[in-house]
Amino acid sequence: MSLSIGDKAPDFTLPTDVDHQTITLSQLRGKKVVLYFYPKDSTPGCTKEACDFRDNFAAFRKHNVEIFGISRDSLKSHKKFKEKYALPFQLLIDENGDVCETYGIINKKSLFGKTFLGIQRSTFLIDEKGMIRAIWRKVKVPGHVEQILNDVQ
């Protein structure tokens, strides 16, 4: 599925890094939402991206923006990652990759000559009515969070 700016953001319910809590996207109407999809907890690029969101968290909150990181990592992995880097936003667990598939960010990757399906680092800005207002695919981490913040303002 290929999503475009102006499309309604596909709804989902996912578990969070907090035991027995879930987030349903449609329940966040009235707020802007940043969904950032990343490949793996505690890897260099993903850590840098998460810390950039952490360091700019107050600026996003000032503009009524909720931030959620989504990967296929487990609850245990998310908890460890969040605690180690003092992340003030929730990480969502999409272990089977259904939401990643829905948002079209699962792609073929290759590493050491082996091909596999993995998450393409991507970010979606969703407005107060649940519409996609911006999409960043194949994200390069340096400067990315600042670019999103500029678009939110």
Side-chain angles (χ1 to χ4, degrees), residues 1-21:
M1 177 178 201
S2 183
L3 296 173
S4 301
I5 294 171
D7 289 348
K8 183 176 180 184
D11 198 18
F12 61 81
T13 299
L14 285 176
T16 74
D17 54 63
V18 179
D19 288 327
H20 311 295
Q21 283 191 11

Side-chain angles (χ1 to χ4, degrees), residues 72 105-109 116-120:
R72 297 177 68 183
I105 56 94
I106 298 288
N107 290 297
K108 284 185 182 177
K109 294 182 165 193
F116 61 96
L117 292 177
I119 291 178
Q120 178 186 72

Side-chain angles (χ1 to χ4, degrees), residues 38-52 81 85 121 141-142:
Y38 64 98
K40 188 134 186 70
D41 291 339
S42 298
T43 57
C46 297
T47 299
K48 170 76 171 117
E49 185 177 28
C51 290
D52 285 352
F81 185 49
Y85 295 102
R121 190 181 310 278
V141 173

Side-chain angles (χ1 to χ4, degrees), residues 17-77:
D17 54 63
V18 179
D19 288 327
H20 311 295
Q21 283 191 11
T22 61
I23 290 290
T24 299
L25 183 62
S26 60
Q27 292 177 341
L28 298 170
R29 294 293 195 287
K31 295 183 178 188
K32 293 176 187 159
V33 175
V34 168
L35 297 179
Y36 82 94
F37 293 85
Y38 64 98
K40 188 134 186 70
D41 291 339
S42 298
T43 57
C46 297
T47 299
K48 170 76 171 117
E49 185 177 28
C51 290
D52 285 352
F53 276 112
R54 177 199 65 203
D55 295 346
N56 288 281
F57 185 71
F60 280 103
R61 291 306 293 249
K62 194 164 43 171
H63 294 285
N64 198 31
V65 178
E66 295 286 335
I67 299 168
F68 297 97
I70 302 176
S71 77
R72 297 177 68 183
D73 292 303
S74 67
L75 172 62
K76 182 179 178 182
S77 177

Side-chain angles (χ1 to χ4, degrees), residues 1-10 102-104 123-126 130-137:
M1 177 178 201
S2 183
L3 296 173
S4 301
I5 294 171
D7 289 348
K8 183 176 180 184
T102 300
Y103 277 77
T123 304
F124 294 79
L125 175 61
I126 301 166
M131 306 303 286
I132 297 172
R133 289 295 160 224
I135 300 172
W136 295 267
R137 296 187 186 276

